[in-house]
Amino acid sequence: MQVPIKRAIESVPGGMMVVPLLVGALIATFFPDTPKFFGSFTGALFSGALTILAVFYVCMGASIDFRATPYIVKKGGTLLIVKVGAAIVLGLIFGRILGETPVAAGMFAGVSTLAVVAAMNDTNGGLYMALMGQYGRPRDVGAYTVMSLESGPFLTMITLGVAGLSAFPWQTLVGAILPLVVGMIIGNLDREMRDFLSRAVPVMIPFFAFALGAGLDLSKVWQAGLLGLGMGVAVVVVTGIPLFLADRITGGNGVAGVAAASTAGNAAAVPAIVAAANPAYADAARPATILVAACVVVTAILVPIVTAWTARVVGRDVEEPAEENNVASAGKMTPAARSVVTEASH
């Protein structure tokens, strides 16, 4: 007897990302002690998002040709500028209206310039790369090496006008790029290794998604209420539309832009860090943390669905071979391209 598990998952928009992510989030919310209870390999599945992502990065890098580097810089730089630019515009608007203090009462109680900027500024890199591994091209995944500059409180502080209070260590920059570069070197030196490693990319998506979901507490959405839900939807809409257009302008089909319209998990820590650096934001930090955490959960669920829908409407980008010898014959595709076509056929 065969149970069509794969077909059932793929019937959900972005299912290979959304379903495992929701399973992980539900376990983390209702059975938070599961990783400690089982420990060992089972516990590692719940806390291994960064490790799985690092391996994912190497495998994806192996399928990127060196000649795609200018494209990566152009695409990643454009998405970075547009995402941060949207946060700056909103920061200026809300800064004029609210200043540093949050709304004190009413249905918008807790909303602050800090909350809005922190939620809009930082893209969920793991989510973006996993979605691009399923719906995009390997070089679109590589674009996050540039977008990773969003991570942490630095650009939020810049946006809020608090420059120079947070450093961005060069080791962090190198560490974000190194796995991809190592994969690129291996894949460009040996086409057989490129084919071997690229096969792992679609397989790793559900495992990474589960680990990512295991770090999400759905109760944060409940605490933030409709306001947190609305802010999460606003992040996807307000940043997603300009990112979609920017992606189209830089030669993409818009899917990469939509996949970047999320809030990173580490963004929830930004309000407290900013408040520690500048006491003027002390009153805004606690409600901002709850709202930003809600945005993390909402966008982690919504962005894969919207990305899958966008890919279905505009089509999926398939990496073209950089040279004729990348394939054994004109009718043979690389495993990465074959996996994308296979997914598209479902």
Side-chain angles (χ1 to χ4, degrees), residues 182-248:
V182 169
M184 289 177 66
I185 293 172
I186 294 172
N188 280 270
L189 289 176
D190 186 348
R191 294 192 190 94
E192 290 184 4
M193 283 297 294
R194 172 179 292 176
D195 291 345
F196 172 72
L197 292 173
S198 64
R199 291 189 185 100
V201 172
V203 175
M204 294 176 64
I205 290 173
F207 293 99
F208 172 77
F210 176 83
L212 181 66
L216 300 177
D217 186 352
L218 296 178
S219 65
K220 297 295 184 182
V221 179
W222 179 262
Q223 291 179 28
L226 290 177
L227 185 58
L229 178 62
M231 274 192 62
V233 174
V235 170
V236 177
V237 174
V238 173
T239 66
I241 293 174
L243 284 168
F244 173 84
L245 296 175
D247 186 25
R248 303 278 293 192

Side-chain angles (χ1 to χ4, degrees), residues 18 48 83 165 177 187 191 207 256 274:
V18 173
K83 187 76 184 285
L165 296 180
I177 298 172
R191 294 192 190 94
F207 293 99
V274 172

Side-chain angles (χ1 to χ4, degrees), residues 280-314:
Y281 294 98
D283 292 339
R286 186 179 178 281
T289 299
I290 296 174
L291 288 173
V292 174
C295 290
V296 173
V297 177
V298 172
T299 59
I301 296 171
L302 187 57
V303 166
I305 296 173
V306 177
T307 302
W309 177 81
T310 303
R312 191 162 59 246
V313 172
V314 303

Side-chain angles (χ1 to χ4, degrees), residues 57 64 68-84 121-123 125 128-129 138-152 154-155 168 172-178 180-181 184 260:
Y57 225 168
I64 301 174
T69 303
Y71 175 90
I72 290 173
V73 174
K74 180 181 72 171
K75 173 63 70 67
T78 301
L79 295 180
L80 171 68
I81 291 170
V82 171
K83 187 76 184 285
V84 175
N121 233 354
D122 198 349
T123 295
Y128 170 84
M129 287 185 284
R139 53 183 177 169
D140 286 327
V141 176
Y144 186 71
T145 56
V146 179
M147 295 166 62
S148 63
L149 291 169
E150 299 169 351
S151 299
F154 182 67
L155 286 179
F168 203 82
T172 303
L173 287 173
V174 174
I177 298 172
L178 194 57
L180 183 87
V181 173
M184 289 177 66

Side-chain angles (χ1 to χ4, degrees), residues 6 10 16 133-135 202 316 337-346:
K6 185 171 183 289
E10 289 174 339
M16 279 298 177
Q134 185 171 3
Y135 298 109
R316 300 179 186 180
R338 190 185 304 112
S339 67
V340 173
V341 173
T342 301
E343 292 291 330
S345 66
H346 289 290

